Amino acid sequence: MSIAQSILPEFDHEMATTRKLLERAPEAQFGWKPHEKSMSLGQLANHLAALPFWGVVTMKEVELDMNPPGGEGYKTPRLATVAEILAAFDDNVGKARAAIASSGDADFMVAWSLKNAGHTIFTMPRIAVLRTFVINHEIHHRGQFSVYLRLHNVPVPSIYGPTADES
Protein backbone atom coordinates (compact mmCIF):
# COMPACT_ATOMS: atom_id res chain seq x y z
CA MET A 1 0.00 0.00 0.00
CA SER A 2 1.31 3.45 -0.89
CA ILE A 3 1.58 6.31 1.56
CA ALA A 4 -1.17 8.16 -0.32
CA GLN A 5 -3.48 5.14 -0.09
CA SER A 6 -2.79 4.88 3.64
CA ILE A 7 -3.45 8.53 4.50
CA LEU A 8 -6.43 9.25 2.21
CA PRO A 9 -9.00 7.39 4.39
CA GLU A 10 -7.91 9.49 7.39
CA PHE A 11 -8.01 12.69 5.30
CA ASP A 12 -11.46 11.82 3.90
CA HIS A 13 -12.87 11.01 7.35
CA GLU A 14 -11.55 14.17 8.99
CA MET A 15 -12.68 16.44 6.16
CA ALA A 16 -16.18 14.90 6.10
CA THR A 17 -16.43 15.44 9.84
CA THR A 18 -15.32 19.06 9.51
CA ARG A 19 -17.90 19.63 6.79
CA LYS A 20 -20.70 18.40 9.10
CA LEU A 21 -19.75 21.10 11.61
CA LEU A 22 -19.38 23.86 9.01
CA GLU A 23 -22.86 23.06 7.69
CA ARG A 24 -24.22 24.08 11.10
CA ALA A 25 -22.41 27.42 11.36
CA PRO A 26 -24.89 30.10 12.47
CA GLU A 27 -24.32 32.97 10.01
CA ALA A 28 -26.01 35.46 12.32
CA GLN A 29 -23.25 34.79 14.87
CA PHE A 30 -20.22 35.10 12.52
CA GLY A 31 -18.98 38.16 14.41
CA TRP A 32 -19.16 36.51 17.85
CA LYS A 33 -15.99 35.76 19.83
CA PRO A 34 -15.76 33.82 23.10
CA HIS A 35 -12.84 36.06 24.15
CA GLU A 36 -11.23 39.21 22.81
CA LYS A 37 -8.10 37.24 21.79
CA SER A 38 -10.11 34.53 20.01
CA MET A 39 -11.04 34.31 16.36
CA SER A 40 -14.65 35.15 15.64
CA LEU A 41 -16.97 32.32 14.69
CA GLY A 42 -16.85 33.51 11.06
CA GLN A 43 -13.05 33.79 11.04
CA LEU A 44 -12.76 30.28 12.44
CA ALA A 45 -15.18 28.90 9.83
CA ASN A 46 -13.17 30.62 7.09
CA HIS A 47 -9.93 29.20 8.49
CA LEU A 48 -11.41 25.69 8.53
CA ALA A 49 -12.46 26.13 4.90
CA ALA A 50 -9.00 27.35 3.86
CA LEU A 51 -6.83 24.83 5.73
CA PRO A 52 -7.34 21.88 3.35
CA PHE A 53 -5.73 23.90 0.55
CA TRP A 54 -2.53 23.85 2.59
CA GLY A 55 -2.43 20.16 1.61
CA VAL A 56 -1.95 21.28 -2.00
CA VAL A 57 0.82 23.68 -0.99
CA THR A 58 2.43 20.92 1.07
CA MET A 59 2.42 18.39 -1.77
CA LYS A 60 3.22 20.75 -4.67
CA GLU A 61 5.72 23.18 -3.12
CA VAL A 62 8.75 22.79 -0.84
CA GLU A 63 7.98 25.76 1.41
CA LEU A 64 5.42 28.32 2.43
CA ASP A 65 6.44 31.74 3.67
CA MET A 66 3.49 33.23 5.53
CA ASN A 67 4.95 36.75 5.16
CA PRO A 68 7.49 36.68 2.33
CA PRO A 69 10.01 39.53 2.35
CA GLY A 70 8.84 42.11 -0.15
CA GLY A 71 5.63 40.19 -0.84
CA GLU A 72 2.11 40.00 0.44
CA GLY A 73 1.51 37.80 3.46
CA TYR A 74 -0.98 34.98 3.73
CA LYS A 75 -4.53 36.05 4.51
CA THR A 76 -7.41 33.75 5.36
CA PRO A 77 -10.30 34.37 2.97
CA ARG A 78 -13.28 36.37 4.25
CA LEU A 79 -16.32 34.50 3.06
CA ALA A 80 -19.62 35.85 4.36
CA THR A 81 -22.07 32.95 4.14
CA VAL A 82 -22.19 29.28 5.04
CA ALA A 83 -22.80 28.49 1.35
CA GLU A 84 -19.60 30.33 0.34
CA ILE A 85 -17.63 28.65 3.12
CA LEU A 86 -18.88 25.18 2.15
CA ALA A 87 -18.12 25.80 -1.53
CA ALA A 88 -14.57 26.92 -0.71
CA PHE A 89 -14.08 24.02 1.70
CA ASP A 90 -15.31 21.47 -0.87
CA ASP A 91 -13.08 22.96 -3.57
CA ASN A 92 -10.03 22.97 -1.28
CA VAL A 93 -10.67 19.43 -0.06
CA GLY A 94 -10.99 18.21 -3.65
CA LYS A 95 -7.74 19.88 -4.70
CA ALA A 96 -5.88 18.60 -1.65
CA ARG A 97 -7.21 15.08 -2.11
CA ALA A 98 -6.08 15.09 -5.75
CA ALA A 99 -2.62 16.37 -4.76
CA ILE A 100 -2.27 13.62 -2.16
CA ALA A 101 -3.63 10.88 -4.42
CA SER A 102 -1.30 11.80 -7.29
CA SER A 103 1.84 11.78 -5.12
CA GLY A 104 4.27 8.90 -5.01
CA ASP A 105 5.92 7.65 -1.83
CA ALA A 106 9.12 9.60 -2.57
CA ASP A 107 7.10 12.83 -2.80
CA PHE A 108 5.99 12.38 0.82
CA MET A 109 9.62 12.23 1.98
CA VAL A 110 10.67 15.55 0.43
CA ALA A 111 11.70 18.16 3.01
CA TRP A 112 9.17 20.98 3.37
CA SER A 113 9.59 24.24 5.31
CA LEU A 114 7.26 26.72 6.90
CA LYS A 115 8.73 30.21 6.97
CA ASN A 116 7.81 33.62 8.27
CA ALA A 117 9.49 36.68 6.75
CA GLY A 118 12.23 34.47 5.32
CA HIS A 119 13.00 32.76 8.62
CA THR A 120 12.44 29.01 8.82
CA ILE A 121 10.00 27.98 11.55
CA PHE A 122 10.30 24.26 10.84
CA THR A 123 11.40 21.78 8.19
CA MET A 124 10.15 18.21 8.07
CA PRO A 125 9.12 15.59 5.51
CA ARG A 126 5.92 16.37 3.63
CA ILE A 127 4.14 13.39 5.22
CA ALA A 128 4.73 14.89 8.67
CA VAL A 129 3.64 18.32 7.44
CA LEU A 130 0.49 16.86 5.90
CA ARG A 131 -0.41 15.09 9.10
CA THR A 132 0.47 17.89 11.56
CA PHE A 133 0.23 21.21 9.73
CA VAL A 134 -2.80 20.22 7.65
CA ILE A 135 -4.86 17.37 9.15
CA ASN A 136 -4.11 17.85 12.87
CA HIS A 137 -4.36 21.62 12.45
CA GLU A 138 -7.83 21.14 10.95
CA ILE A 139 -8.81 18.83 13.82
CA HIS A 140 -7.54 21.34 16.40
CA HIS A 141 -9.60 24.21 15.02
CA ARG A 142 -12.59 21.95 14.44
CA GLY A 143 -12.51 21.21 18.17
CA GLN A 144 -12.64 24.93 18.87
CA PHE A 145 -15.47 25.30 16.39
CA SER A 146 -17.48 22.54 18.08
CA VAL A 147 -17.27 24.51 21.33
CA TYR A 148 -18.40 27.66 19.52
CA LEU A 149 -21.41 25.72 18.23
CA ARG A 150 -22.19 24.35 21.69
CA LEU A 151 -22.03 27.86 23.18
CA HIS A 152 -24.68 28.93 20.65
CA ASN A 153 -26.89 25.92 21.38
CA VAL A 154 -26.27 24.52 17.90
CA PRO A 155 -26.48 20.71 18.00
CA VAL A 156 -22.99 19.24 17.67
CA PRO A 157 -22.82 16.30 15.23
CA SER A 158 -21.00 13.07 15.87
CA ILE A 159 -17.25 13.56 15.55
CA TYR A 160 -15.61 10.33 16.79
CA GLY A 161 -18.73 8.92 18.35
CA PRO A 162 -22.05 10.10 19.73
CA THR A 163 -22.40 13.59 21.13
CA ALA A 164 -24.98 14.84 23.62
CA ASP A 165 -27.00 15.90 20.57
CA GLU A 166 -26.69 12.82 18.37
CA SER A 167 -26.45 9.15 19.19
Side-chain angles (χ1 to χ4, degrees):
M1 176 182 291
S2 70
I3 294 172
Q5 290 170 324
S6 71
I7 200 164
L8 280 171
E10 176 183 355
F11 179 84
D12 292 342
H13 174 79
E14 299 303 345
M15 295 307 124
T17 301
T18 298
R19 193 180 200 290
K20 287 192 300 187
L21 273 80
L22 287 173
E23 290 169 350
R24 297 178 184 207
E27 277 179 26
Q29 300 300 324
F30 272 15
W32 179 84
K33 293 180 171 189
H35 186 274
E36 65 187 40
K37 293 181 182 179
S38 299
M39 281 190 265
S40 71
L41 193 147
Q43 288 170 318
L44 190 52
N46 274 272
H47 190 51
L48 285 167
L51 276 172
F53 188 75
W54 294 9
V56 176
V57 176
T58 299
M59 297 312 300
K60 299 297 182 190
E61 306 294 334
V62 294
E63 68 180 35
L64 171 61
D65 195 323
M66 299 299 283
N67 294 294
E72 184 150 341
Y74 174 81
K75 291 186 174 95
T76 299
R78 293 179 182 223
L79 306 170
T81 68
V82 172
E84 291 172 339
I85 287 168
L86 290 172
F89 177 77
D90 291 343
D91 184 54
N92 289 333
V93 167
K95 289 175 181 172
R97 191 181 201 293
I100 295 165
S102 66
S103 297
D105 285 357
D107 297 321
F108 287 95
M109 296 303 132
V110 170
W112 190 94
S113 298
L114 177 64
K115 296 183 175 184
N116 187 32
H119 301 285
T120 301
I121 298 169
F122 67 76
T123 300
M124 58 178 85
R126 281 182 175 145
I127 185 62
V129 175
L130 185 62
R131 185 152 278 135
T132 59
F133 187 63
V134 180
I135 297 173
N136 292 352
H137 193 164
E138 184 85 13
I139 293 166
H140 161 74
H141 286 300
R142 184 180 72 208
Q144 288 179 299
F145 196 74
S146 70
V147 172
Y148 282 32
L149 294 181
R150 173 69 70 220
L151 292 172
H152 282 90
N153 294 314
V154 174
V156 177
S158 173
I159 296 174
Y160 294 116
T163 66
D165 302 310
E166 292 184 359
S167 56

